[in-house]
């Protein structure tokens, strides 16, 4: 099995989920006491979040590219950026290393297509829902992507940064997310992409009348499958 490199810490709450899922998937595939060979570079999310808010994406990209080079030097054979939003700088990360980067949106689009769906709702940070770097990648993968209205987008974004990234999970926020999901379904969404890795801490299949696609889980499972493919 090849070694998986993780660029994490954005936030560490969801990076911890990545680590758990990587090892669970490896045990499912290989059995016994097997676990995933991996290396982690965990950044300071406060610094990344400040650059996001200030629109200094090139600098954020340089930080993640440096992390990627460190992971390659540590023996990583393939890389994951353990956050949807920071795939905005995926090209910078990819250009910094010679090992492959497994793009989160590609893994997600593949799972949606495998489920026989095309029209999906997208929940995530405002950056992910409103900018083209992620929606465009999903569209290139054959999906018709819908996002909540401005009020819904603001709610989803606020809960991510003010609650979930801090490890706070509130029933009131779960109920609010359910209403946002119901709105997307009413507009024709056949499934809903949980396009922020922290959202999986709040809602799951039981909170949606249509299939949900948990991006952290899909990304981590695809990484294990890729690492086991020679």
């Amino acid at each position: 099995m090849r070694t998986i490199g993780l660029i994490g810490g954005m936030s560490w709450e969801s990076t911890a989920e990545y680590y758990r899922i990587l090892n669970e998937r490896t045990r499912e595939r290989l059995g016994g006491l097997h676990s995933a060979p991996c290396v982690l570079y965990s950044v300071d999310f406060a610094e990344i979040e400040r650059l996001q808010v200030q629109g200094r994406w090139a600098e954020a990209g340089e930080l993640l590219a440096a992390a990627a080079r460190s992971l390659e030097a540590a023996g990583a054979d393939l890389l994951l950026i353990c956050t949807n939003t920071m795939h905005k700088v995926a090209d910078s990360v990819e250009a910094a290393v010679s090992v492959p980067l497994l793009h989160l949106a590609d893994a997600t689009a593949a799972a949606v297509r495998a489920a026989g769906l095309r029209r999906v709702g997208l929940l995530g940070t405002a950056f992910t829902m409103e900018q083209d770097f992620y929606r465009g990648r999903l569209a290139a993968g054959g999906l018709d992507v819908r996002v909540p209205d401005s009020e819904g987008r603001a709610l989803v974004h606020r809960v991510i940064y003010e609650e979930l990234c801090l490890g706070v999970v509130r029933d009131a926020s779960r109920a609010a997310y359910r209403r946002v999901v119901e709105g997307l379904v009413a507009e024709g969404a056949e499934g809903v992409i949980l396009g922020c890795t922290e959202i999986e801490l709040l809602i799951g299949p039981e909170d949606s009348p249509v299939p949900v696609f948990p991006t952290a889980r899909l990304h981590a499972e695809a990484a294990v499958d890729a690492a086991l493919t020679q």
Side-chain angles (χ1 to χ4, degrees):
M1 184 173 181
R2 292 183 289 169
T3 299
I4 301 168
L6 309 172
I7 304 176
M10 300 168 286
S11 68
W12 70 259
E13 298 282 347
S14 64
T15 302
E17 287 296 293
Y18 264 86
Y19 184 70
R20 180 180 62 80
I21 296 165
L22 286 170
N23 286 295
E24 286 179 349
R25 180 67 164 185
T26 301
R27 185 172 58 198
E28 289 171 6
R29 288 288 309 272
L30 299 179
L33 296 176
H34 285 288
S35 55
C38 56
V39 288
L40 167 65
Y41 191 113
S42 188
V43 303
D44 180 359
F45 190 33
E47 184 176 9
I48 298 296
E49 190 270 344
R50 176 175 56 84
L51 295 174
Q52 289 176 344
V53 171
Q54 295 174 356
R56 295 160 63 186
W57 294 100
E59 293 175 55
E62 290 169 4
L63 288 175
L64 296 200
R69 286 190 291 269
S70 294
L71 289 170
E72 184 175 22
D77 298 304
L78 66 145
L79 299 180
L80 307 182
I81 303 172
C82 301
T83 160
N84 288 272
T85 296
M86 292 312 294
H87 277 73
K88 184 174 174 71
V89 300
D91 289 347
S92 297
V93 173
E94 201 164 23
V97 294
S98 61
V99 296
L101 173 72
L102 181 60
H103 199 291
L104 199 159
D106 294 347
T108 300
V112 174
R113 291 194 306 269
L117 306 181
R118 180 174 174 271
R119 187 181 303 113
V120 289
L122 172 64
L123 303 181
T125 67
F127 310 111
T128 299
M129 291 186 288
E130 296 172 2
Q131 298 182 23
D132 190 58
F133 71 92
Y134 195 84
R135 293 174 61 180
R137 187 92 175 200
L138 293 173
L143 305 187
D144 177 4
V145 182
R146 315 291 177 89
V147 296
D149 61 20
S150 59
E151 183 178 348
R153 294 196 304 272
L155 167 75
V156 171
H157 182 89
R158 180 191 62 76
V159 169
I160 290 168
Y161 279 92
E162 296 181 12
E163 297 177 21
L164 300 178
C165 286
L166 300 174
V168 177
V169 178
R170 294 190 171 125
D171 288 339
S173 295
R174 181 178 293 108
Y177 267 51
R178 285 174 173 167
R179 289 192 291 272
V180 173
V181 168
E182 289 167 0
L184 290 169
V185 173
E187 293 180 2
E190 303 166 321
V192 176
I193 293 172
L194 308 184
C196 174
T197 52
E198 282 79 22
I199 292 177
E200 293 157 62
L201 304 174
L202 181 66
I203 64 172
E206 67 279 5
D207 299 299
S208 172
V210 296
V212 298
F213 296 88
T215 54
R217 172 167 292 279
L218 294 171
H219 200 202
E221 291 182 347
V224 171
D225 294 344
L228 286 169
T229 302
Q230 299 301 321

